[in-house]
Amino acid sequence: MHGVDIGRRLSLDEIDLLDRREFKFAVRYYACIGEQPWTENPKTLTSEEVAYLGARRMGIVTVFQNSGNSSSYFTYSQGLMDGKAARAFGLLLGQPLGTPIFFAVDTDFGDPSGLTDYFNGVYQGLDGAYDAAVYGEFDVVKFAREHFPALTAFWQTYAWSRGEVYWAADYFQHRNGYELAPGLVVDLNTAHGEIPWRLR
């Protein structure tokens, strides 16, 4: 099934357009200051969007990204902070317990084993409320699935993947910067299964 991800808030009219274009899910963002949800950040998901998307029976996928563009970011302490903040966001917005929150590795990381401490921190920070999941390029997603048993979902971006597509990825981001309408620029994704957060 097809969906979009976008790093800004969606209006009701824009969600209606996504629905008319038969997109089945939207990926939206969590971010924080310290361990607290940063609800004023225009990048972050809102309760209004949750209601609008739910009314259209569209799935919601959440991804936590404060920075993540440098390998020095991915430490245990940062993962713990990010996990706690993502947990607080999910509880605040009513994300169903036990559903995945993706954590973005939005860079050509190099040796994915260097992410071990970060995702150990994420897992501890989520404290069982939500499942930890990863977004990244081919090598990151493949390594994470093979070596991080606590992660339950995997979202690959084509960027930095050098043309390789990981067969076991749950989501695949295959195009960036697609203009659906004036002012509405999204990244295009496919999902290979049901979206866990879908309001009935």
Side-chain angles (χ1 to χ4, degrees), residues 113-127:
S113 66
L115 294 166
T116 302
D117 288 344
Y118 176 77
F119 278 99
N120 283 339
V122 164
Y123 182 77
Q124 292 299 318
L126 290 172
D127 194 25

Side-chain angles (χ1 to χ4, degrees), residues 61 124 128 142 161 164 187:
V61 178
Q124 292 299 318
K142 182 176 185 292
S161 291
E164 296 189 89
D187 297 336

Side-chain angles (χ1 to χ4, degrees), residues 45-174:
L45 178 68
T46 66
S47 57
E48 289 81 8
E49 287 176 283
V50 171
Y52 293 161
L53 290 163
R56 302 304 180 275
R57 302 295 191 269
M58 291 182 67
I60 304 168
V61 178
T62 55
V63 55
F64 184 93
Q65 185 177 26
N66 251 8
S67 176
N69 294 322
S70 168
S71 59
S72 62
Y73 178 88
F74 296 98
T75 63
Y76 175 85
S77 60
Q78 188 64 60
L80 181 64
M81 187 180 299
D82 290 355
K84 288 181 177 180
R87 182 181 189 276
F89 242 125
L91 294 174
L92 179 69
L93 292 175
Q95 178 167 343
L97 296 175
T99 55
I101 299 175
F102 287 87
F103 290 80
V105 183
D106 200 11
T107 185
D108 191 358
F109 191 79
D111 181 3
S113 66
L115 294 166
T116 302
D117 288 344
Y118 176 77
F119 278 99
N120 283 339
V122 164
Y123 182 77
Q124 292 299 318
L126 290 172
D127 194 25
Y130 298 101
D131 287 349
V134 62
Y135 163 93
E137 46 91 356
F138 175 88
D139 292 329
V140 165
V141 171
K142 182 176 185 292
F143 184 91
R145 188 175 187 274
E146 293 173 354
H147 295 90
F148 299 163
L151 272 60
T152 64
F154 305 89
W155 175 19
Q156 183 193 347
T157 175
Y158 78 96
W160 310 295
S161 291
R162 300 169 183 84
E164 296 189 89
V165 178
Y166 186 47
W167 65 272
D170 301 285
Y171 301 86
F172 183 61
Q173 182 190 71
H174 57 87

